[in-house]
Amino acid sequence: MIWPFKPNKRKQIARIEITGAIASETRKRVLKALKTVEEEHYPALLLRIDSPGGTVGDSQEIYDALQRIRHKGVKVIASFGNISASGGVYIGVGADHIVANPGTITGSIGVIIRGNNLERLLEKVGVSFKTIKSGPYKDILAFDRESTPEEMNILQQLIDTSYEQFVGTVAQGRNLPVETVKSFADGRIFTGQQALELGVVDRLGTEEDARRWLADLVDLDPDKVKCRTIEEKKPVLMRLLSGRSLSKRSRLATSLDWLEFELSTQGQPMWIYRP
């Protein structure tokens, strides 16, 4: 029998997880989930972040989407998990409030772009490339040669511009002076306890603490309110594999995910921390 009455989403809290490196697939999934939050009229969103960061554009789009639902009246609290660094911080400051564990690894506010110079290796194996290009910088960060000083200057300007965007967003989101943010936005990482002292987070606590605080903000009973995780259904095989977090297969899958991320983002500016 189909129950004729739909649950009242205005009396529930939505929950979205952001885990792993942030790239295009994460962006698509999170934006779709945020649209669901808006369309189903949830009053509040618990955003659980356990991520080292990721690509600049994808992090910015998630942040902008958070701003939109907040402007429509949805209260948002971000809960930082084991690690919420770089792009994870950028997304987190889009929330009304942030809760972190005392030992959460966070920070790493900065920008990085990487390229590989395999010129000497290619010479040893006798491989060379012939490049036809429309302009002197079309093959910037080419892996078969050293970058020129002019190219390094272009890349540094790109990084500096992205960095200023990052710092400005953190300053605005956390209501801090830009110079204060710059005093610790040098790429360093810090704990949740240190983040509290710096003004990056509002409280120390668990995800459950964040949920209860959020319920209070929207006048719902923390002991009774339901918290619904909005996520795409995974195939049965993937669900079985994800439950075996300590298996060799799972560790291999994680390594392959990182390899795929590195290859797909090669040469892109990133807000990311990786130990």
Side-chain angles (χ1 to χ4, degrees):
M1 178 179 177
I2 299 176
W3 185 250
F5 304 106
K6 292 183 178 180
N8 187 356
K9 302 297 176 61
R10 293 182 183 277
K11 299 295 184 181
Q12 297 183 14
I13 292 174
R15 178 180 179 274
I16 297 175
E17 286 188 1
I18 297 178
T19 58
I22 300 163
S24 60
E25 289 304 313
T26 301
R27 170 182 53 79
K28 293 174 187 176
R29 177 181 61 80
V30 174
L31 293 185
K32 184 177 180 181
L34 289 172
K35 186 176 181 181
T36 299
V37 173
E38 181 181 346
E39 291 178 344
E40 299 190 3
H41 304 291
Y42 284 93
L45 169 64
L46 178 60
L47 188 66
R48 178 66 170 182
I49 304 175
D50 204 333
S51 169
T55 52
V56 170
D58 293 307
S59 301
Q60 287 180 326
E61 288 199 30
I62 295 173
Y63 171 88
D64 288 342
L66 283 172
Q67 295 303 292
R68 286 195 295 273
I69 69 167
R70 284 180 60 196
H71 290 156
K72 293 186 177 182
V74 179
K75 287 291 184 182
V76 183
I77 288 185
S79 168
F80 287 177
N82 291 317
I83 177 171
S84 183
S86 210
V89 173
Y90 192 98
I91 292 171
V93 300
D96 292 286
H97 303 289
I98 302 175
V99 177
N101 293 293
T104 293
I105 295 175
T106 186
S108 188
I109 299 172
V111 194
I112 186 172
I113 189 169
R114 290 196 297 261
N116 299 311
N117 181 9
L118 305 179
E119 184 177 10
R120 294 176 63 185
L121 174 62
L122 294 172
E123 287 177 353
K124 287 184 178 181
V125 297
V127 176
S128 62
F129 294 85
K130 301 298 181 184
T131 303
I132 311 299
K133 52 187 178 180
S134 58
Y137 307 120
K138 187 59 180 174
D139 64 338
I140 200 167
L141 277 181
F143 64 84
D144 59 326
R145 63 175 178 81
E146 188 68 51
S147 296
T148 67
E150 293 79 12
E151 289 173 329
M152 294 300 291
N153 183 54
I154 289 171
L155 292 172
Q156 188 62 59
Q157 290 180 37
L158 182 151
I159 292 297
D160 291 345
T161 299
S162 184
Y163 172 76
E164 291 296 333
Q165 294 171 4
F166 199 162
V167 168
T169 299
V170 173
Q172 179 180 3
R174 299 304 303 159
N175 196 26
L176 294 170
V178 168
E179 292 306 314
T180 298
V181 176
K182 285 187 175 181
S183 70
F184 55 78
D186 52 9
R188 77 182 72 177
I189 57 172
F190 35 81
T191 67
Q193 176 69 56
Q194 292 170 314
L196 178 65
E197 296 165 1
L198 293 170
V200 177
V201 306
D202 296 291
R203 293 185 184 180
L204 297 180
T206 64
E207 181 180 356
E208 173 62 11
D209 293 325
R211 185 196 67 80
R212 297 183 70 86
W213 185 12
L214 185 57
D216 285 334
L217 288 178
V218 292
D219 296 322
L220 296 175
D221 187 342
D223 294 320
K224 296 180 180 179
V225 64
K226 292 183 179 180
C227 188
R228 177 197 169 200
T229 299
I230 301 174
E231 59 183 350
E232 294 181 344
K233 288 186 177 181
K234 298 178 181 179
V236 175
L237 180 59
M238 290 300 295
R239 277 181 277 169
L240 290 173
L241 291 177
S242 63
R244 299 170 60 187
S245 59
L246 298 179
S247 70
K248 291 183 179 180
R249 187 182 297 250
S250 179
R251 290 194 294 270
L252 176 60
T254 300
S255 298
L256 290 175
D257 286 344
W258 265 110
L259 178 60
E260 181 183 2
F261 176 79
E262 294 283 356
L263 291 174
S264 65
T265 59
Q266 183 72 16
Q268 290 188 46
M270 294 183 287
W271 294 331
I272 194 163
Y273 161 75
R274 189 176 181 193

